[in-house]
Amino acid sequence: MLNLLVYILEAKKEMLVGFSVSLLYITYYLVEVVKRPELVCGAGEFRRVLEERVPVLQARYWPTPWCVESRMQTVLGSVLRSLFLPPLEYQREVVTLSDGGQVALDWANTGQGQARGVLLVLPGLTGSVHADYVRCLAAAARDLRLDTVVYNNRGLGGLPLTTPRLYCALSHEDLAEVVRWVRERRGAAQPLLAVGVSLGGLILAHYLAAHGAAAAVDAALAVSAPLDVEAGAASMERGANRLLSRHMARNLRAAVRAHAALRADWAAVGAARSVREFDAAFTARHFGFSSAEEYYRAATLRDKLRRLRRVRAPLLCLCAADDPFQPRAALPAEEAARSGRVALVVPHRGGHIGFLEGWWPAQEARSQYISRVARQYFSALLDRPDLLLSSSKQTAVS
């Protein structure tokens, strides 16, 4: 009888400890994790539309309770979406560039009736039409009756390399040719919207800044784009982030090895175990930089106010405050606060292209946070065509 009493007391103690820990975590989750995204943008019509017509930006973001840590969001976001979201069906077109290079454009969502425009998607570092987040963006485009076209950087998508040059964060002139090609194919009357993810977002931002009012993209969204490459590269070298950097370096080595005819120090490339080591061994040399640090300085957009001032197409940058590759302090908040065309939306959590929600985050593609942001943002701008860059050009001419 005494043993039974002791057992009951011990069980109650364990239950009390478990209840206390649960209560503490719930309090932490509600107070420190669940928050409204921070919106940074200059005063004007663009900000007003974001505040009034994009409700997801005004609502609290509820990360998956058992997956709030940034690296878990980053890894599990990719794994779960890849496993549970159906792959896209697509048709491929190959575009030959002015220097003889070629890139692949993969079209999805076609054949759904009269499309009202095109959504051009730029995947991340070595991404393609098969990337998990592309499925989310294609779902948003389908809801908006937009055709989706996924841009594969030269050397990716299984195409042979026809020039001795691959791609990097500064390869926005390739994008400019592709944008012109899509415009000519679909006509100037249809809106051309663009989403860049991670490296794709950085290339897209460079394109918009370089071309200013002459850009042929009407509105853009950048997701988890490393706008400050120097700070992002330093962050990837810290703590557990090095594991993610090692994984990315492995993907980069595989992408380059597919083009063995390139001139490179293959021993150094094979020995690279981080993104910085890969960029020092290959990217910097391949594009004429003396070091990885010089390449990072050239690729960085933060603190280059004159570049961001040139952006005339509405640009929304979705960046989690805990992104392991883009610390909150590295975001161009001051630049965005002075801009009427560039806005930052910064959820407190989300990792790098993670943004998981709900107890079971493997939701259908159109319900994913990235999809909802894209759908509501572009829907708001399509309802206000006067804010699109093409309308601004017509107004200026008239």
Side-chain angles (χ1 to χ4, degrees):
M1 186 66 181
L2 182 59
N3 290 338
L4 178 60
L5 182 60
V6 171
Y7 174 79
I8 292 174
L9 290 174
E10 289 294 331
K12 286 185 176 180
K13 184 189 300 183
E14 292 177 3
M15 290 177 61
L16 182 60
V17 170
F19 176 78
S20 300
V21 171
S22 299
L23 185 60
L24 284 172
Y25 182 76
I26 291 172
T27 302
Y28 163 77
Y29 178 77
L30 294 176
V31 173
E32 293 294 332
V33 176
V34 178
K35 296 185 178 182
R36 282 178 54 182
E38 177 186 4
L39 179 62
V40 184
C41 182
E45 277 299 296
F46 183 41
R47 182 185 181 103
R48 191 172 72 82
V49 167
L50 293 176
E51 291 177 336
E52 296 179 2
R53 303 294 302 275
V54 189
V56 68
L57 303 186
Q58 302 302 315
R60 292 186 176 188
Y61 169 59
W62 296 74
T64 298
W66 49 267
C67 184
V68 299
E69 201 275 333
S70 63
R71 287 163 289 262
M72 288 183 64
Q73 281 265 336
T74 301
V75 174
L76 288 181
S78 176
V79 170
L80 292 176
R81 286 191 291 258
S82 297
L83 286 175
F84 291 100
L85 298 185
L88 294 177
E89 295 182 0
Y90 63 92
Q91 296 176 324
R92 170 163 290 188
E93 289 187 293
V94 176
V95 178
T96 301
L97 304 175
S98 58
D99 67 347
Q102 59 182 15
V103 296
L105 297 182
D106 295 329
W107 292 85
N109 290 347
T110 55
Q112 57 177 350
Q114 184 62 40
R116 64 192 295 201
V118 176
L119 181 67
L120 173 64
V121 179
L122 286 71
L125 196 60
T126 56
S128 69
V129 70
H130 304 293
D132 60 280
Y133 48 81
V134 173
R135 304 171 197 182
C136 301
L137 296 168
R142 187 163 50 247
D143 287 344
L144 295 172
R145 291 193 299 111
L146 300 171
D147 285 344
T148 303
V149 58
V150 182
Y151 165 61
N152 297 270
N153 283 296
R154 66 169 78 195
L156 296 184
L159 288 184
L161 196 63
T162 56
T163 60
R165 182 165 71 88
L166 277 170
Y167 66 96
C168 71
L170 297 165
S171 299
H172 56 84
E173 289 307 320
D174 284 359
L175 173 61
E177 291 196 48
V178 167
V179 168
R180 287 195 295 270
W181 188 90
V182 173
R183 275 290 191 193
E184 292 171 0
R185 186 181 189 277
R186 300 303 295 265
Q190 281 198 333
L192 175 56
L193 313 174
V195 182
V197 180
S198 192
L199 180 70
L202 180 59
I203 294 174
L204 177 59
H206 272 290
Y207 164 78
L208 295 175
H211 291 265
V217 168
D218 288 310
L221 170 65
V223 179
S224 298
L227 301 176
D228 187 333
V229 183
E230 293 177 282
S235 181
M236 280 193 287
E237 300 294 318
R238 300 190 191 111
N241 293 349
R242 287 178 291 185
L243 296 176
L244 298 177
S245 180
R246 188 180 184 91
H247 170 72
M248 294 167 67
R250 183 168 63 247
N251 291 340
L252 285 167
R253 293 197 308 270
V256 170
R257 283 172 176 162
H259 307 289
L262 286 171
R263 294 181 59 184
D265 183 345
W266 291 107
V269 170
R273 291 299 179 268
S274 70
V275 173
R276 183 184 292 274
E277 290 179 3
F278 177 88
D279 286 336
F282 180 81
T283 312
R285 300 179 186 181
H286 188 65
F287 288 94
F289 294 100
S290 61
S291 65
E293 288 69 28
E294 184 185 10
Y295 165 56
Y296 294 156
R297 284 193 296 273
T300 291
L301 272 174
R302 183 176 184 263
D303 295 329
K304 297 176 180 175
L305 186 56
R306 285 179 295 178
R307 292 192 186 183
L308 286 178
R309 277 179 177 167
R310 286 179 52 82
V311 174
R312 304 311 304 155
L315 171 62
L316 177 65
C317 302
L318 172 63
C319 308
D322 66 347
D323 189 327
F325 304 149
Q326 185 69 93
R328 169 63 183 84
L331 296 177
E334 291 184 11
E335 294 87 337
R338 301 176 192 175
S339 173
R341 287 286 178 168
V342 178
L344 299 177
V345 59
V346 189
H348 191 56
R349 302 295 177 119
H352 187 74
I353 331 175
F355 301 108
L356 297 178
E357 297 177 290
W359 285 101
W360 178 239
Q363 310 166 43
E364 61 177 341
R366 69 184 306 272
S367 299
Q368 297 276 333
Y369 190 78
I370 295 172
S371 180
R372 299 199 334 267
V373 170
R375 181 172 62 251
Q376 293 181 19
Y377 169 62
F378 287 126
S379 177
L381 292 178
L382 290 170
D383 289 342
R384 286 289 307 272
D386 57 299
L387 292 178
L388 299 178
L389 182 56
S390 56
S391 296
S392 301
K393 293 177 184 178
Q394 293 170 7
T395 301
V397 170
S398 60

